Amino acid sequence: SQQGEEDPQALSIQEGENATMNCSYKTSINNLQWYRQNSGRGLVHLILIRSNEREKHSGRLRVTLDTSKKSSSLLITASRAADTASYFCATEWKSSGDKLTFGTGTRLAVRP
Amino acid sequence: SAVISQKPSRDICQRGTSLTIQCQVDSQVTMMFWYRQQPGQSLTLIATANQGSEATYESGFVIDKFPISRPNLTFSTLTVSNLSPEDSSIYLCSVGRRGLQETQYFGPGTRLLVL
């Protein structure tokens, strides 16, 4: 399977703390994207990082990409209860056209 | 960005029947995709819906079970045929533009329960 792996599978933190999620993948990619899903609903796009980029920021989100290690991390700073959700990384492989392969996901719970 | 709607949002079906899910986009898009998310799992791509031609299916998914239509650049349907309890999942459509390495936007999903 080409599916990426994410760790941890589940993460519980206190409001105000930072949350870090990691994603590893297996093949060369064009880009890597992070999505959030609340309670089994639709996915919300968070950040897209291209293979020639190493770091991107969006508000309280920071994403890094290390293509030599085939890994990425998502950092959420100063977490809020509303950040409680499942987070998925998705990779667009160089050979896949525009198709995305999703990671296994991290369930984040932020305690108020 | 694109605004995507799906109908129905949820349904409960009897085994052996079929369910057709509609995906409507507010703008013309090149690529439309259908995903399945089984309970507690990640998303798995079912197929790419090609406008004016047959869908392209991923390994493990066949046209007889998941027929797809794409009559124009803003609309697609996915039918899940001959339902069994194992088909209970969330089905999501997504859209993107070919070759541009852009964000894929997802619909709200259709939650299917098969009894």
Side-chain angles (χ1 to χ4, degrees), chain A residues 85-103:
Chain A
S86 292
Y87 292 81
F88 295 92
C89 66
T91 51
E92 183 187 300
W93 315 338
K94 285 187 182 296
S95 60
S96 74
D98 301 279
K99 296 187 293 187
L100 294 180
T101 299
F102 279 80

PDB file of all heavy atoms in Angstrom, chain A residues 85-103:
ATOM      1  N   ALA A  85     -10.365  17.581  16.148  1.00  0.00           N
ATOM      2  CA  ALA A  85     -10.723  17.048  14.831  1.00  0.00           C
ATOM      3  C   ALA A  85      -9.747  15.938  14.483  1.00  0.00           C
ATOM      4  O   ALA A  85      -8.810  15.662  15.231  1.00  0.00           O
ATOM      5  CB  ALA A  85     -10.660  18.147  13.766  1.00  0.00           C
ATOM      6  N   SER A  86      -9.970  15.329  13.331  1.00  0.00           N
ATOM      7  CA  SER A  86      -8.981  14.416  12.753  1.00  0.00           C
ATOM      8  C   SER A  86      -8.210  15.167  11.679  1.00  0.00           C
ATOM      9  O   SER A  86      -8.794  15.936  10.912  1.00  0.00           O
ATOM     10  CB  SER A  86      -9.653  13.185  12.144  1.00  0.00           C
ATOM     11  OG  SER A  86     -10.213  12.377  13.150  1.00  0.00           O
ATOM     12  N   TYR A  87      -6.911  14.924  11.651  1.00  0.00           N
ATOM     13  CA  TYR A  87      -6.045  15.612  10.699  1.00  0.00           C
ATOM     14  C   TYR A  87      -5.400  14.576   9.787  1.00  0.00           C
ATOM     15  O   TYR A  87      -4.872  13.561  10.252  1.00  0.00           O
ATOM     16  CB  TYR A  87      -4.980  16.427  11.436  1.00  0.00           C
ATOM     17  CG  TYR A  87      -5.576  17.602  12.180  1.00  0.00           C
ATOM     18  CD1 TYR A  87      -6.176  17.426  13.423  1.00  0.00           C
ATOM     19  CD2 TYR A  87      -5.577  18.875  11.613  1.00  0.00           C
ATOM     20  CE1 TYR A  87      -6.755  18.494  14.090  1.00  0.00           C
ATOM     21  CE2 TYR A  87      -6.148  19.950  12.274  1.00  0.00           C
ATOM     22  CZ  TYR A  87      -6.736  19.750  13.512  1.00  0.00           C
ATOM     23  OH  TYR A  87      -7.317  20.807  14.167  1.00  0.00           O
ATOM     24  N   PHE A  88      -5.451  14.840   8.484  1.00  0.00           N
ATOM     25  CA  PHE A  88      -4.922  13.906   7.493  1.00  0.00           C
ATOM     26  C   PHE A  88      -3.895  14.608   6.609  1.00  0.00           C
ATOM     27  O   PHE A  88      -4.110  15.748   6.188  1.00  0.00           O
ATOM     28  CB  PHE A  88      -6.028  13.374   6.583  1.00  0.00           C
ATOM     29  CG  PHE A  88      -7.058  12.541   7.280  1.00  0.00           C
ATOM     30  CD1 PHE A  88      -8.212  13.108   7.781  1.00  0.00           C
ATOM     31  CD2 PHE A  88      -6.872  11.164   7.433  1.00  0.00           C
ATOM     32  CE1 PHE A  88      -9.173  12.329   8.424  1.00  0.00           C
ATOM     33  CE2 PHE A  88      -7.823  10.383   8.057  1.00  0.00           C
ATOM     34  CZ  PHE A  88      -8.978  10.966   8.563  1.00  0.00           C
ATOM     35  N   CYS A  89      -2.805  13.899   6.342  1.00  0.00           N
ATOM     36  CA  CYS A  89      -1.924  14.368   5.284  1.00  0.00           C
ATOM     37  C   CYS A  89      -2.301  13.635   4.001  1.00  0.00           C
ATOM     38  O   CYS A  89      -2.836  12.525   4.035  1.00  0.00           O
ATOM     39  CB  CYS A  89      -0.451  14.145   5.604  1.00  0.00           C
ATOM     40  SG  CYS A  89       0.072  12.415   5.705  1.00  0.00           S
ATOM     41  N   ALA A  90      -2.061  14.252   2.878  1.00  0.00           N
ATOM     42  CA  ALA A  90      -2.368  13.644   1.582  1.00  0.00           C
ATOM     43  C   ALA A  90      -1.260  14.019   0.615  1.00  0.00           C
ATOM     44  O   ALA A  90      -0.868  15.182   0.536  1.00  0.00           O
ATOM     45  CB  ALA A  90      -3.717  14.126   1.059  1.00  0.00           C
ATOM     46  N   THR A  91      -0.766  13.041  -0.102  1.00  0.00           N
ATOM     47  CA  THR A  91       0.333  13.284  -1.033  1.00  0.00           C
ATOM     48  C   THR A  91      -0.127  13.125  -2.474  1.00  0.00           C
ATOM     49  O   THR A  91      -0.936  12.253  -2.794  1.00  0.00           O
ATOM     50  CB  THR A  91       1.497  12.317  -0.771  1.00  0.00           C
ATOM     51  OG1 THR A  91       1.004  10.976  -0.736  1.00  0.00           O
ATOM     52  CG2 THR A  91       2.189  12.634   0.532  1.00  0.00           C
ATOM     53  N   GLU A  92       0.387  14.010  -3.304  1.00  0.00           N
ATOM     54  CA  GLU A  92       0.207  13.872  -4.744  1.00  0.00           C
ATOM     55  C   GLU A  92       1.537  13.350  -5.275  1.00  0.00           C
ATOM     56  O   GLU A  92       2.538  14.061  -5.289  1.00  0.00           O
ATOM     57  CB  GLU A  92      -0.149  15.208  -5.392  1.00  0.00           C
ATOM     58  CG  GLU A  92      -0.416  15.103  -6.884  1.00  0.00           C
ATOM     59  CD  GLU A  92      -0.607  16.454  -7.528  1.00  0.00           C
ATOM     60  OE1 GLU A  92      -1.539  17.179  -7.126  1.00  0.00           O
ATOM     61  OE2 GLU A  92       0.172  16.791  -8.434  1.00  0.00           O
ATOM     62  N   TRP A  93       1.560  12.085  -5.719  1.00  0.00           N
ATOM     63  CA  TRP A  93       2.817  11.504  -6.183  1.00  0.00           C
ATOM     64  C   TRP A  93       3.183  12.062  -7.540  1.00  0.00           C
ATOM     65  O   TRP A  93       2.317  12.476  -8.315  1.00  0.00           O
ATOM     66  CB  TRP A  93       2.714   9.982  -6.348  1.00  0.00           C
ATOM     67  CG  TRP A  93       2.060   9.256  -5.276  1.00  0.00           C
ATOM     68  CD1 TRP A  93       1.877   9.637  -3.994  1.00  0.00           C
ATOM     69  CD2 TRP A  93       1.462   7.980  -5.413  1.00  0.00           C
ATOM     70  NE1 TRP A  93       1.196   8.671  -3.328  1.00  0.00           N
ATOM     71  CE2 TRP A  93       0.940   7.640  -4.167  1.00  0.00           C
ATOM     72  CE3 TRP A  93       1.340   7.078  -6.481  1.00  0.00           C
ATOM     73  CZ2 TRP A  93       0.286   6.428  -3.947  1.00  0.00           C
ATOM     74  CZ3 TRP A  93       0.688   5.884  -6.272  1.00  0.00           C
ATOM     75  CH2 TRP A  93       0.167   5.568  -5.010  1.00  0.00           C
ATOM     76  N   LYS A  94       4.472  11.973  -7.846  1.00  0.00           N
ATOM     77  CA  LYS A  94       4.928  12.427  -9.161  1.00  0.00           C
ATOM     78  C   LYS A  94       4.311  11.602 -10.282  1.00  0.00           C
ATOM     79  O   LYS A  94       4.080  12.100 -11.362  1.00  0.00           O
ATOM     80  CB  LYS A  94       6.449  12.354  -9.242  1.00  0.00           C
ATOM     81  CG  LYS A  94       7.162  13.448  -8.471  1.00  0.00           C
ATOM     82  CD  LYS A  94       8.651  13.435  -8.733  1.00  0.00           C
ATOM     83  CE  LYS A  94       9.357  14.492  -7.918  1.00  0.00           C
ATOM     84  NZ  LYS A  94       8.948  15.854  -8.286  1.00  0.00           N
ATOM     85  N   SER A  95       4.008  10.342 -10.013  1.00  0.00           N
ATOM     86  CA  SER A  95       3.503   9.465 -11.074  1.00  0.00           C
ATOM     87  C   SER A  95       1.992   9.322 -11.061  1.00  0.00           C
ATOM     88  O   SER A  95       1.434   8.553 -11.828  1.00  0.00           O
ATOM     89  CB  SER A  95       4.138   8.076 -10.922  1.00  0.00           C
ATOM     90  OG  SER A  95       3.801   7.522  -9.668  1.00  0.00           O
ATOM     91  N   SER A  96       1.304  10.036 -10.193  1.00  0.00           N
ATOM     92  CA  SER A  96      -0.127   9.773 -10.005  1.00  0.00           C
ATOM     93  C   SER A  96      -1.021  10.749 -10.732  1.00  0.00           C
ATOM     94  O   SER A  96      -2.232  10.633 -10.674  1.00  0.00           O
ATOM     95  CB  SER A  96      -0.477   9.832  -8.515  1.00  0.00           C
ATOM     96  OG  SER A  96      -0.480  11.175  -8.060  1.00  0.00           O
ATOM     97  N   GLY A  97      -0.454  11.704 -11.441  1.00  0.00           N
ATOM     98  CA  GLY A  97      -1.306  12.755 -11.987  1.00  0.00           C
ATOM     99  C   GLY A  97      -1.774  13.635 -10.860  1.00  0.00           C
ATOM    100  O   GLY A  97      -0.971  14.091 -10.067  1.00  0.00           O
ATOM    101  N   ASP A  98      -3.083  13.835 -10.775  1.00  0.00           N
ATOM    102  CA  ASP A  98      -3.604  14.729  -9.747  1.00  0.00           C
ATOM    103  C   ASP A  98      -4.231  13.977  -8.580  1.00  0.00           C
ATOM    104  O   ASP A  98      -4.877  14.566  -7.739  1.00  0.00           O
ATOM    105  CB  ASP A  98      -4.651  15.657 -10.371  1.00  0.00           C
ATOM    106  CG  ASP A  98      -4.042  16.474 -11.493  1.00  0.00           C
ATOM    107  OD1 ASP A  98      -3.394  17.481 -11.192  1.00  0.00           O
ATOM    108  OD2 ASP A  98      -4.203  16.072 -12.661  1.00  0.00           O
ATOM    109  N   LYS A  99      -4.006  12.676  -8.501  1.00  0.00           N
ATOM    110  CA  LYS A  99      -4.660  11.901  -7.454  1.00  0.00           C
ATOM    111  C   LYS A  99      -3.946  12.089  -6.128  1.00  0.00           C
ATOM    112  O   LYS A  99      -2.726  12.238  -6.066  1.00  0.00           O
ATOM    113  CB  LYS A  99      -4.674  10.418  -7.822  1.00  0.00           C
ATOM    114  CG  LYS A  99      -5.492  10.126  -9.071  1.00  0.00           C
ATOM    115  CD  LYS A  99      -5.621   8.648  -9.323  1.00  0.00           C
ATOM    116  CE  LYS A  99      -4.295   8.013  -9.673  1.00  0.00           C
ATOM    117  NZ  LYS A  99      -4.476   6.604 -10.082  1.00  0.00           N
ATOM    118  N   LEU A 100      -4.709  12.065  -5.043  1.00  0.00           N
ATOM    119  CA  LEU A 100      -4.159  12.176  -3.697  1.00  0.00           C
ATOM    120  C   LEU A 100      -4.223  10.835  -2.989  1.00  0.00           C
ATOM    121  O   LEU A 100      -5.181  10.089  -3.139  1.00  0.00           O
ATOM    122  CB  LEU A 100      -4.950  13.196  -2.875  1.00  0.00           C
ATOM    123  CG  LEU A 100      -4.887  14.654  -3.296  1.00  0.00           C
ATOM    124  CD1 LEU A 100      -5.741  15.501  -2.369  1.00  0.00           C
ATOM    125  CD2 LEU A 100      -3.451  15.156  -3.301  1.00  0.00           C
ATOM    126  N   THR A 101      -3.178  10.566  -2.219  1.00  0.00           N
ATOM    127  CA  THR A 101      -3.157   9.394  -1.345  1.00  0.00           C
ATOM    128  C   THR A 101      -3.129   9.886   0.082  1.00  0.00           C
ATOM    129  O   THR A 101      -2.227  10.643   0.460  1.00  0.00           O
ATOM    130  CB  THR A 101      -1.929   8.521  -1.627  1.00  0.00           C
ATOM    131  OG1 THR A 101      -1.977   8.066  -2.977  1.00  0.00           O
ATOM    132  CG2 THR A 101      -1.914   7.316  -0.697  1.00  0.00           C
ATOM    133  N   PHE A 102      -4.106   9.463   0.872  1.00  0.00           N
ATOM    134  CA  PHE A 102      -4.260   9.973   2.222  1.00  0.00           C
ATOM    135  C   PHE A 102      -3.521   9.116   3.237  1.00  0.00           C
ATOM    136  O   PHE A 102      -3.415   7.887   3.104  1.00  0.00           O
ATOM    137  CB  PHE A 102      -5.743  10.036   2.595  1.00  0.00           C
ATOM    138  CG  PHE A 102      -6.412  11.257   2.055  1.00  0.00           C
ATOM    139  CD1 PHE A 102      -6.824  11.307   0.738  1.00  0.00           C
ATOM    140  CD2 PHE A 102      -6.600  12.380   2.856  1.00  0.00           C
ATOM    141  CE1 PHE A 102      -7.413  12.438   0.217  1.00  0.00           C
ATOM    142  CE2 PHE A 102      -7.192  13.513   2.344  1.00  0.00           C
ATOM    143  CZ  PHE A 102      -7.604  13.548   1.023  1.00  0.00           C
ATOM    144  N   GLY A 103      -3.025   9.793   4.266  1.00  0.00           N
ATOM    145  CA  GLY A 103      -2.430   9.099   5.395  1.00  0.00           C
ATOM    146  C   GLY A 103      -3.506   8.554   6.308  1.00  0.00           C
ATOM    147  O   GLY A 103      -4.706   8.744   6.093  1.00  0.00           O
TER     148      GLY A 103
END
